[in-house]
Amino acid sequence: MSEVTKEAIEEALKGYIEPNMGKDLVSAKAVKDIRIDGGKVVLRVVLGFPVKSVADQIGQSICDVVKGVDGVSDCEVDLSWEVASHSVQKSLKPIDNIKNIIAVASGKGGVGKSTTAVNLALALSQEGAKVGILDADIYGPSQPRMLGISGQPESKDGKTLEPMNSYHLQAMSIGFLIDEETPMIWRGPMVTQALEQLLNDTNWSDLDYLIIDLPPGTGDTQLTLAQKVPVSGAIIVTTPQDIALLDARKGFKMFEKVEVPVLGIVENMSIHICSNCGHEEHIFGEGGGKSMSEQYGVDFLGALPLEKRIREETDAGKPTVVAEPDCRTSEIYREIARKAAAKLAIQAKSYAAKFPNIVIQNN
């Protein structure tokens, strides 16, 4: 029997591409320790993003690769994750108690951005992260209803607000402070000021990720928000139809302009499956999101179906990820959330090299 060496194990691990990162564990510097005792190999692997729902599956895949090394008779993997704070735009500083802010945006309304944002936030929470969501749509806040939250946030000192909580998610929205049917007739500067106050005057509690559900569009308000909020990465939500993709490209360009890396594209309402006969139909076109991701060299994070229950469950205040955690749609949301978090975890060094003046905050 051949003697097992650390070099042989590392070489074998280079052949295992972790599905969320899309790269091997060695080059990602996720392998922290390799211990060899005869034919038994014990690995300590630390990922930079949460993977609670698939941790056992990843561990088994790693062991399968390691057991392929000549002389290995047994394998054990200690798999964990540590979410670090990553870079934000130059001239901005990260906010205390928030490691990373991820903006979810769309170039136009009606593409399911808010539904996607809340389900991704809940998916990250289910994967083991501490997550919050900020509803930045001052004119049309929807997160209070989607999360089934009523009432107003408390203020212990008369100056700051305590976040509302739902499904282990910390949340803040202008919708908590006004009546649901009260229109916000404000000009751009007032909207920007309100968002900054909601973000900075909320007592967020040690968040790994704060998801910001941005208002639709790419006008002055959105650009100002992108320049004043320290964002680590953005997710663009679109539908496959040409008009939505046209506006999504504008959203991409907006983040590029303010040096916020786009983590990837999510194609919502990708395919409709008839609830009666099971017939599949691409109502809004096909492959547009993937084509856009290829055009701009960003990741295609996933495609979500056009399903009646997604709308029904968010309208009822219980988004799909918590209403039906074991269904395929919830699984897709978790896949997208993991891929986005993984992209954020591995992009920091390359992005810092490209923009040397950005602010870096380590864990």
Side-chain angles (χ1 to χ4, degrees):
M1 182 181 290
S2 301
E3 181 181 356
V4 182
T5 65
K6 179 180 178 182
E7 289 74 20
I9 298 301
E10 286 183 340
E11 193 62 32
L13 289 173
K14 288 178 182 178
Y16 169 67
I17 304 301
E18 200 284 324
N20 299 291
M21 292 188 292
K23 64 188 303 183
D24 70 90
L25 298 172
V26 177
S27 64
K29 303 187 185 307
V31 181
K32 302 302 182 183
D33 188 33
I34 300 176
R35 285 179 288 149
I36 301 171
D37 183 7
K40 182 176 181 179
V41 177
V42 179
L43 301 173
R44 185 168 73 89
V45 177
V46 181
L47 299 175
F49 55 98
V51 293
K52 185 177 180 179
S53 71
V54 292
D56 290 342
Q57 180 181 333
I58 293 173
Q60 185 59 56
S61 296
I62 295 171
C63 274
D64 290 343
V65 171
V66 172
K67 286 180 179 178
V69 176
D70 190 27
V72 175
S73 59
D74 193 15
C75 173
E76 183 179 314
V77 177
D78 175 15
L79 178 66
S80 61
W81 52 87
E82 295 176 2
V83 179
S85 297
H86 297 299
S87 56
V88 299
Q89 309 97 302
K90 59 185 178 182
S91 81
L92 296 181
K93 294 182 179 180
I95 297 171
D96 291 341
N97 297 324
I98 303 175
K99 290 182 179 179
N100 300 287
I101 293 178
I102 298 176
V104 178
S106 64
K108 69 187 297 292
V111 299
K113 169 189 52 62
S114 294
T115 299
T116 301
V118 71
N119 274 292
L120 291 183
L122 291 165
L124 283 170
S125 177
Q126 288 184 355
E127 289 297 331
K130 200 164 184 181
V131 187
I133 186 166
L134 174 63
D135 187 350
D137 194 342
I138 303 298
Y139 293 122
S142 56
Q143 294 303 337
R145 172 166 292 219
M146 289 184 170
L147 288 168
I149 302 176
S150 59
Q152 293 189 331
E154 295 181 0
S155 177
K156 295 180 179 180
D157 58 6
K159 299 178 181 179
T160 58
L161 298 173
E162 299 300 314
M164 305 291 275
N165 287 275
S166 179
Y167 310 120
H168 307 290
L169 204 66
Q170 298 177 41
M172 183 51 64
S173 169
I174 194 71
F176 296 141
L177 304 173
I178 61 171
D179 184 83
E180 189 176 48
E181 297 183 2
T182 299
M184 302 302 294
I185 309 173
W186 288 355
R187 295 188 182 276
M190 293 179 67
V191 172
T192 302
Q193 183 180 3
L195 176 64
E196 287 187 83
Q197 288 182 314
L198 289 175
L199 174 64
N200 296 311
D201 295 344
T202 297
N203 293 321
W204 306 105
S205 178
D206 300 322
L207 297 180
D208 293 315
Y209 305 100
L210 175 66
I211 304 299
I212 296 190
D213 178 14
L214 283 177
T218 55
D220 178 68
T221 301
Q222 287 75 19
L223 186 58
T224 302
L225 301 182
Q227 291 172 328
K228 290 192 174 184
V229 176
V231 180
S232 299
I235 296 172
I236 304 292
V237 180
T238 185
T239 58
Q241 66 193 107
D242 290 343
I243 191 67
L245 289 164
L246 181 64
D247 289 330
R249 289 183 173 91
K250 295 176 184 176
F252 178 89
K253 291 293 185 181
M254 177 187 74
F255 287 114
E256 189 176 57
K257 194 179 187 72
V258 294
E259 297 179 356
V260 171
V262 174
L263 303 177
I265 310 293
V266 175
E267 185 178 276
N268 197 27
M269 307 181 200
S270 177
I271 187 171
H272 175 255
I273 302 175
C274 179
S275 57
N276 291 323
C277 67
H279 173 69
E280 297 183 3
E281 187 172 10
H282 294 274
I283 294 176
F284 296 113
E286 184 177 0
K290 195 164 189 178
S291 175
M292 179 181 166
S293 68
E294 292 170 353
Q295 178 184 356
Y296 290 107
V298 296
D299 288 1
F300 181 66
L301 298 176
L304 290 157
L306 175 61
E307 284 189 314
K308 183 172 69 172
R309 67 179 174 183
I310 297 177
R311 190 270 305 165
E312 291 175 338
E313 287 159 353
T314 49
D315 280 354
K318 195 171 186 180
T320 304
V321 168
V322 291
E324 300 181 79
D326 298 325
C327 74
R328 175 56 185 153
T329 300
S330 293
E331 187 179 340
I332 295 172
Y333 278 122
R334 287 193 294 271
E335 289 171 359
I336 293 172
R338 289 195 304 270
K339 287 180 181 178
K343 180 69 176 179
L344 180 61
I346 64 177
Q347 77 171 5
K349 290 185 179 179
S350 60
Y351 192 71
K354 185 177 179 182
F355 298 107
N357 295 322
I358 53 178
V359 177
I360 302 291
Q361 177 186 354
N362 294 318
N363 208 13

